[in-house]
Amino acid sequence: MNLSHENLARAQVSARLGEAQQCRPGRQLSRAIRSGRRAEQLAQQARLALARTL
């Protein structure tokens, strides 16, 4: 009986790992998009600050 519980736990962990690996590329893409947007915002703010000083 104890062995079947261990096997069930292993199967669940394996399934969760598989799901996490499938979701990871999407998360990386969304993170890259967000950081790209943030970089664009910072660049725009820098251009405005430079234009104000000139």
Side-chain angles (χ1 to χ4, degrees):
M1 193 71 171
N2 190 18
L3 199 59
S4 65
H5 289 297
E6 290 178 10
N7 289 336
L8 180 60
R10 281 194 192 104
Q12 289 174 341
V13 168
S14 178
R16 287 188 192 127
L17 277 173
E19 290 173 6
Q21 288 173 347
Q22 288 175 352
C23 292
R24 188 175 297 143
R27 287 183 181 168
Q28 289 176 347
L29 178 61
S30 64
R31 189 178 303 132
I33 290 170
R34 279 195 307 271
S35 67
R37 282 191 206 137
R38 181 72 180 138
E40 290 173 12
Q41 289 173 348
L42 291 174
Q44 180 64 25
Q45 289 174 0
R47 285 192 292 272
L48 287 172
L50 182 61
R52 287 183 189 135
T53 60
L54 296 178

